[in-house]
Amino acid sequence: MAQPSVPTTQLPAGNPVDFSHIEHLIIVCGHAIYLGGPTNGQDESEWAIEPFQKGETPTFIAHIKAGLEALRDDPAAMLMFSGGPTKPERTLLSEAESYKSLAATNTYFSLLPLPTHLILTDDHATDCYTNVLFSLLLFHQLTHRAPLHLTIISFAFKERRFLDLHCRALRYPLSCVTYIGIDPPTEGEEMQQKREMMLKGEKKAREVWGGDLYGTGEVAAIKRGGRGGMGWPYVWPPLEEREKGWVEAFLGWGGGETGREIYAGWLPWAEGSGE
C-alpha cells in the first residue's frame, strides 16, 4: 500500500514563530469537516458528516470553543487541531484545517485576539490514537522538547480510551493530562437512542484498541484506510537527523507478539526519559 505524504504543518510566512515559552499542548480532536458557508458552521448543511453524526455539529463547535478557551487561559500553550482529510469523496480539506477555518471565520468567537500564530494543525490523524501521537510529534518537531502538560478535547464518553489505552501506549504521564469531554445533547428519544449506540460503539473500540495498543492490526488498519489514513508503520519527518532514531524506532513498534506490549524505548515525554 502506497504511503501518503508525511505529516506537515503550515507556519505563518515571514519571521519564524517563537515557541521557546510553549510547554502546554492542547489537542482538539476532529470528527467532521466544515466546508464553509453563510452561517459560519451553524447550519449542518455546511458540514461533511456521516449520517450517524446528524445533530452533532454544535458539539464539534463546542470542542473548538473549548480549545480556544484553554489557549486563552494559558500563555504557555499551543493549540493543535488534529484530523486528516477523512472525506476525500467530498473534499480535500482536512478536519484540522476546517476546524481552524471555522474558528477564524467566527473571529475566534471573541475569545482570542487576531491573528494568533499559536493555532496549528495536524492534518493526517485519522483516529484517536494518532490524534495524540501526531500532535506530540509535531509539538516536539516545532519546539525541540516535549510538552509538560497535555490537554485533550473530544467526546466525554471517549475519556477512558484516551487515558487508559492511548496515553498509556504513548507513555505520556497521566498526572500531566487534562481531559475535556463534551458529548452531544441527549434530549429526546432519538438522541437517547443515538447515545446508546455511541456507547456500544465505544465499548467495541476499547476492546479493539485494548488488544492492539498501537493500531497495527487489521481492524484499525481497515478503519484508518477508509478515512484516507496512512498505513503502518507510520512515517514522520524528524526535524533533525539526531531525532531520526527514536522517532523511527517508536513508529515501527507494533506492540510485540501480543499487540499489548508497551514500548520500552526512549521517548522525550515519558517519565524518567529526560531530554
Side-chain angles (χ1 to χ4, degrees):
M1 177 180 177
Q3 297 283 9
S5 58
V6 294
T8 58
T9 188
Q10 295 296 319
L11 295 176
N15 295 329
V17 179
D18 178 17
F19 294 121
S20 62
H21 66 294
I22 301 299
E23 57 185 27
H24 176 193
L25 172 59
I26 303 162
I27 304 171
V28 174
C29 301
H31 298 284
I33 298 176
Y34 166 61
L35 300 171
T39 73
N40 297 337
Q42 298 300 315
D43 193 314
E44 196 165 84
S45 66
E46 296 175 357
W47 291 78
I49 59 174
E50 298 296 328
F52 67 84
Q53 292 177 306
K54 183 179 179 182
E56 293 183 28
T57 55
T59 306
F60 306 150
I61 295 176
H63 292 167
I64 294 170
K65 287 182 177 179
L68 295 173
E69 289 168 352
L71 180 63
R72 175 199 63 193
D73 294 342
D74 186 354
M78 168 195 296
L79 173 59
M80 190 81 67
F81 290 122
S82 175
T86 55
K87 302 289 189 296
E89 72 284 355
R90 293 192 61 180
T91 177
L92 296 178
L93 268 177
S94 70
E95 293 174 348
E97 281 294 340
S98 81
Y99 275 35
K100 183 178 179 181
S101 172
L102 185 145
T105 298
N106 285 280
T107 59
Y108 302 108
F109 301 96
S110 300
L111 295 169
L112 294 172
L114 300 176
T116 175
H117 297 329
L118 293 174
I119 300 178
L120 302 172
T121 61
D122 150 44
D123 299 305
H124 288 259
T126 50
D127 52 46
C128 297
Y129 172 67
T130 51
N131 282 143
V132 184
L133 168 63
F134 290 165
S135 295
L136 280 171
L137 288 175
L138 185 50
F139 183 99
H140 193 275
Q141 186 181 45
L142 294 171
T143 67
H144 302 281
R145 61 186 181 278
L148 299 181
H149 190 81
L150 182 65
T151 295
I152 301 171
I153 301 170
S154 185
F155 293 121
F157 66 81
K158 291 187 175 184
E159 180 174 1
R160 294 325 316 167
R161 174 156 44 123
F162 273 102
L163 300 183
D164 297 346
L165 299 177
H166 301 328
C167 286
R168 182 164 67 91
L170 293 163
R171 288 173 48 218
Y172 194 90
L174 293 184
S175 60
C176 300
V177 179
T178 297
Y179 191 89
I180 299 175
I182 304 172
D183 280 343
T186 58
E187 292 82 4
E189 183 178 351
E190 182 179 352
M191 295 305 291
Q192 285 283 1
Q193 293 175 347
K194 184 176 180 180
R195 177 167 177 80
E196 291 177 7
M197 291 179 61
M198 286 180 174
L199 295 178
K200 288 179 181 178
E202 178 59 18
K203 181 180 178 181
K204 183 177 180 180
R206 284 201 302 268
E207 291 172 354
V208 170
W209 283 95
D212 181 22
L213 287 176
Y214 296 91
T216 65
E218 182 178 3
V219 174
I222 290 174
K223 194 168 186 178
R224 189 179 298 120
R227 297 171 177 172
M230 68 175 67
W232 181 81
Y234 311 115
V235 290
W236 189 270
L239 190 63
E240 296 179 6
E241 186 64 25
R242 64 185 176 86
E243 297 179 323
K244 187 174 182 180
W246 74 264
V247 172
E248 290 186 349
F250 181 56
L251 295 184
W253 177 252
E257 293 184 2
T258 66
R260 300 189 300 274
E261 297 176 32
I262 301 295
Y263 180 73
W266 185 85
L267 293 171
W269 50 78
E271 287 183 296
S273 290
E275 282 287 350

